[in-house]
Amino acid sequence: MIPLSHSLTIAALLFVLGLAIILLRRELLFILMGLEVMFNGVALTAIAAGQYWNNPDGQVLTIFLMVVTAAELAVALILVWLAFEHLKTTQVDMLTRLKDDTKGGAP
Amino acid sequence: MYEIIFYLTSAIAVLAASAILIAPHPVHAALYLVISLLALALLFFLLGAPLLAALQVMIYAGAIMVLFLFLIMVMNLRPGQNQSAPLASGWKGPAFLALILLLELLWILNRFQITATNNITAIEPKAVGLALFGPYLLVVEVAAVLLLAALVAALYLSRKERS
Amino acid sequence: MHSADLISLAPFIALILGGLTILALGVWPKPVSTQILTMVAIAFLFLGAVATLFWDAPHEVNGMLVTDNLSRLFTQFFMFGTAVIIILSSGYTPIKNEVREEYLSLLLFSTLGMTLLIASQNLMMAFVGLEILTVPLFALVAWQPARNGAIEGGVKYALLAGFAAAFFLYGTALAYTSAGTIDLTVLGAVTTNAELLAISVTLILVGVGFKLALIPFHMWAPDIYQAAPAPITALFASIAKVAALVFLIRLLCMQLQHIWEALLPLIWMLAVASMVAGNLLALHQQNLKRLLAYSSIAHLGYIFVALAAGNSLGRDAAIYYALTYALMNLGTFAVITAFTRHDQDRQDLEEFRGLGRRHPVLGIAMGVCLLALAGVPPTAGFIAKLIAFGAAIEAGHTILAIIAVLNTALAFYYYLRILNVFYDTNETNLGAAQYSQGTLIIVVTITLLIIAFGIFPEWVLGLI
Amino acid sequence: MSQFLWLIPGSPMLGALIIALLGGYLKQRHFSILASCAAAVAFLTVLLAWLMGAATSQPLQQTLYTWIGVGNWMPTIGFTLDRLALVMVSVVSSIGLLIHIYSITFMAGDSDQRRYYFFLNLFLAGMLLLILADNLLLLYLGWELVGLCSFALIGFWYRDPLRASAGRKAFITTRIGDLSLALGIFLLFNEFNELSVSVLLANATVQWETGSQMPILAALLILGGAIGKSAQLPLQIWLPDAMAGPSPVSALIHAATMVTAGVYLIARTYPLFELAPQVQWSVAAIGTLTIIYGASAALAQNDIKRVLAYSTISQVGYMFLALGCGANALALLHLTTHAFFKALLFLTAGTMIRTNDNEHNIHNLGKRGNHSSLIRWCFLIGAASLAGFPIITAGFYSKEAILTATWSAPTGPLLWAFAAFGSLLTAVYIFRVYFFVFQGSRSGSPMPPIPAPMTWSLSILALASLVVGFVEFPEGWPGLHLWSDWLRDELGSASHPTLATAYSLQFIACVLPLIGIGVALVLVRREKLGFELPLAAFLRTGWNFDALYQIILIRPYFTLARFFKNVEALLIEGTLQKMTRSGMTVATACRDGLEYGVLNKSITGLLAGLRLGHMRLSATQNGLLSRYALMISAGAVFLLGYWLW
């Protein structure tokens, strides 16, 4: 049988992989995919724990996770598309209009 | 046999996810993501969550991936605008940070006496349904509002400028 | 479902019904005027606030939501805050024509998210509440996408909020792993695997810390403050943040007290980092909206000073500070909303030069709000800081209190800098303010409330 | 009833607020009526409390509002009306009302009545607040309000620099006491985490041992506050000068009410003093010394108001003596009778001064000899009561009781001897004034009629000065013994000497005033012939206390200041003389080095450091989404790292 810690380790791997995708890839679509991978890591944690405790709460948690992800992703994707439409880019590097003016003003 | 399938599937899920990290083209990345998600669905099934396995296939691999692909398609209609960047130049720092996080998590997860195993018993869809519409009824209702809100937001953002 | 449950749920139902009604009116065959939509929205908010008055003894609905004094106080306050945001928006020229059914219903849904979040007894409910609060904001930040920076702000916020939500959820899943439940009352009683629970709460703290814009989860804040339309910035800076904060207070100070004690050193560090870095970042900032974002970060640091005390005094202080903080920011952003030009917010401090002289009421209101932010008596900001730092001293965190006081002194510099610009004799040539009567009434009301709460702090403290 | 308690301090407060805020819409003469109405409401509420049986019931309580309720810090705005407070509010509100009414005509010609009535009402509110407060914070608020109003009213005619400086003197001197009281309150709060007076005292009696250090310190600090406000030795110097204010103010604040605040404070916290017997004894000692001091100083005064001022100091000394002997109820009785007869004396004096072109000197007042019989009789009643004329006056009953109670206190006979001597002196100095002013006076020119409000207030006060004492007949006499029994539960009771001793003491107390009147007659005759009292100059200046303070405090202070100034001048001049051009350059260089090198550098360095910090941090804010996510992850790594560490 599978020890819980093994499932959790795989889940943690997925979570960190998703995080790495977000940190390393500079394109919005990749970042969204990274988010999905992170969420899947969480889902695996919840389901493995649900099996361990033998109650359905873990699965319920995962279902809500899917719902929330879907809702969030829908809006986020549209925003990405809007960025593409209006700003003609999906590169993170190009989305840096909002930032501190480091020239520094009068003291 | 069970263990072999489990670890093999896990390996596929993780490898597919790592492939996203270095995939040059969004379409490839999306396909890797599908593989990872499907592998995960199998893991869910193996961990005794048949309902979730089915939902994973339907919602993630089905609906969400279609959204991704659709968007990629829309964007690819305009050539020249959408070269995907290779790994960003300063990748070592973030990668190192992610590695530390991973180590921390692994350390934490293996520090606790929760390694005991029971036999895998499937938690039937019925039990999940009863929980969903019993104690979690309010959350279900509220989640509906969330979907509505997302719908309204998406509708507003996606329409042409009001004249 | 019992009638008591229905009474408890009434304010939430009012918000949902309000959102639905507005959506229905929006697609009505005959066009409904914007004014009527606004009035309907405010009416439902009022209904919801009135409905909270029927809550008596603390009541738990289905193990998911608890309606007690804290929920009541902040539910009412969120209703008030949202009404303020709606009134500000309807007098705000840059998006005036865009304040229609989508905008209003999204605001109401977002408010629903806040009320659910602070009343939640279950981590799942809290998470869904948090998301209902957040998802409408993605769209509200990017309202009228053609505006400068709107889309960029929206994208940044959506992606980072998702990122933070992943941490929150991972924490939830680990909490579930530790005890097999995510019901907070049960979790509070569980003692096995307490350290794993503490770690999972740490991850939740990352998720909530993002909402609170604590250092180092703060970097989105100035960009979003700058990108969003001023009334939405007001929402971000006040009630949205306070909702997350009150959830954290309920989680740590009421439900998982043993975890709170374990987390005190972390809270201590977050407090110091937020105060110092927030104030330093604000110090020479020229963009007023960004400056206020940094000052908010510092203020959250002060609130965490109170939380670092780890006693009931600290809890009360944090609650009082949260409310005061929201009021002060609502007031400040109401003034900024009033000073808008026809197409864009004024952003640079230079664009506000001398406006306090031309518009005495707005100028005085800005003065009161800024002095309250700086913590000058007799405003509520002073009492808030007094109790917060007092709590830290009582808990023996003298060094923390000293750091906090030094930071307050540092903060004086930039608040007075703003006031100085507002009352400069040279006036900007960028034209006068454009605001509605409603905005003016809001500004005056909030200013009076800030002073009243400073003189009669018990009005708030007695409600906790 | 208890829900109306707030009206007692509230209505004068409201009156003051209306006068201050809406005064612009009112005419001069309306202020007096408005203020009097406010005082009347307070008085009627007190009356109502009596009628509703507040005298026999449990203490009434009302909590209006909790100011900041966090943790143990629960400062409430709450009132308690127990018997002690009931007596005090009755005295204060009734005399306050009478003096408001008296002021209507007294101040009629003044052009600045708005300020006058504002402060008068505010004073009344502060005094009632101080009495009714159920916690020390509120008590202190009342205490300071009273002090502020006293300052403002002493210097009411502030264009006269002497009067203005009298106000300042009073303010500064009483501040010393206030500081001590504040320290006492801090100490008590620090020890018990509690502000409520009753709870605090209960805790103190349980937790503190009699005679241990803490209660002594606390009682001493409170005593300091009481001494300042009540003008006892050695902080008495402000009261004679306080007579610069209008006469009704002197009557209300500096005779009847405010100066008794110290007595009230000690009576209120007497369990603390019982825990510190040494301090309690020093209360008695201070009281005794002050009796002699005040009475002897009064003996030589020629200004009628100054006589009364020193008399007040001396009479409050009796109250302190009673407190020091544990006879709190008797102190309160004397407080009450004193309030009436002293107010009466001040008001008659004020009327005389008014009708005689601001003449204060008793010799000149006597020479003019132009006093209506009402004034004469009123002054006589007041004087008799003050002297303790046996049987018929209120002053006799209260003072006699104190004298008798003193006997059985520690070192009682000694204290008694001083107090009895003081009592003799009292009769002498007050009848000296009476004989000077009224003996041989005959109505020459027609008197200006005394207006009705003045007549009424004087008559009521005169009546009260006679009959109030009948509530407590001396020990062993037939008649009522209401007072001590009624207050015993709250204030405890003093031990009494045996009946035989008591009778002889009472006899002496009866005889002393009569002797005093006789001595006064002789004295006046001698003085009219030009024989000065021995030591008159010394006594007239109040034992030269002002000069003493001048020498031991003020002059050294100035000398020190001058010394430093000289040192500075010498040094600089000396250095200048000796300094050669090169030396000067060196010095300048050094100074520059210090000023610019250290101070300037450190300030600019700090600013630059802050600026650099700002720049560095600001540079991180580069708008790059990945960077933002990275920071969040770094935070998570850091927070998780804490758990592994």
Side-chain angles (χ1 to χ4, degrees), chain D residues 297 332 405:
Chain D
L332 203 59

Side-chain angles (χ1 to χ4, degrees), chain C residues 156 202 219 223 265 280 456 458, chain D residues 65-66 69 614 621 623 628 643:
Chain C
K156 278 184 181 172
T202 312
M219 299 187 82
D223 291 6
L280 277 180
F456 305 107
E458 192 56 25
Chain D
Y65 180 69
T66 308
H614 167 74
Q621 206 76 35
Y628 294 5
W643 291 107

Side-chain angles (χ1 to χ4, degrees), chain A residues 35 39 67-77, chain C residues 131 135 138 158 161-163 165:
Chain A
L35 269 181
F39 277 118
V67 171
V68 168
T69 323
E72 210 180 280
L73 194 75
V75 184
L77 276 175
Chain C
E131 287 303 313
V135 171
F138 298 169
F163 189 58

Side-chain angles (χ1 to χ4, degrees), chain D residues 305-362:
Chain D
K305 281 183 78 178
R306 284 183 86 88
V307 175
L308 295 177
Y310 279 108
S311 156
T312 304
I313 294 177
S314 150
Q315 292 302 308
V316 177
Y318 277 105
M319 300 173 209
F320 269 63
L321 173 61
L323 291 170
C325 300
N328 301 307
L330 298 178
L332 203 59
L333 180 63
H334 193 57
L335 188 158
T336 311
T337 57
H338 171 255
F340 286 110
F341 63 68
K342 191 52 68 66
L344 176 67
L345 284 170
F346 263 112
L347 292 189
T348 43
T351 317
M352 280 191 281
I353 291 166
R354 196 26 73 108
T355 50
N356 288 299
D357 308 326
N358 260 332
E359 184 56 66
H360 283 245
N361 191 306
I362 49 175

Side-chain angles (χ1 to χ4, degrees), chain C residues 156 159-160 163 167 199 202 216-217 219 222-223 263 265-266 280-281 284 290 294 313 410 455-459 461, chain D residues 65-71 610-611 614 617-618 620-621 623 625 628-629 631-633 635-636 638-639 642-643:
Chain C
K156 278 184 181 172
L159 295 187
L160 288 174
F163 189 58
F167 278 97
I199 287 166
T202 312
F217 317 117
M219 299 187 82
D223 291 6
L263 283 179
L266 286 182
L280 277 180
L281 277 164
H284 293 288
R290 291 184 80 89
Y294 293 129
L313 184 63
L410 185 60
I455 299 174
F456 305 107
E458 192 56 25
W459 286 357
L461 290 167
Chain D
Y65 180 69
T66 308
W67 183 42
I68 316 179
V70 278
L610 289 175
R611 198 180 166 78
H614 167 74
L617 281 171
S618 195
T620 62
Q621 206 76 35
L625 184 62
Y628 294 5
M631 283 298 282
I632 295 177
S633 328
F638 176 76
L639 293 189
Y642 168 78
W643 291 107

Side-chain angles (χ1 to χ4, degrees), chain C residues 231-254:
Chain C
I232 299 301
T233 316
L235 177 77
F236 265 101
S238 58
I239 49 181
K241 217 176 248 192
V242 165
L245 183 64
V246 174
F247 163 69
L248 192 68
I249 291 172
R250 186 186 281 287
L251 181 74
L252 290 181
C253 312
M254 297 182 177

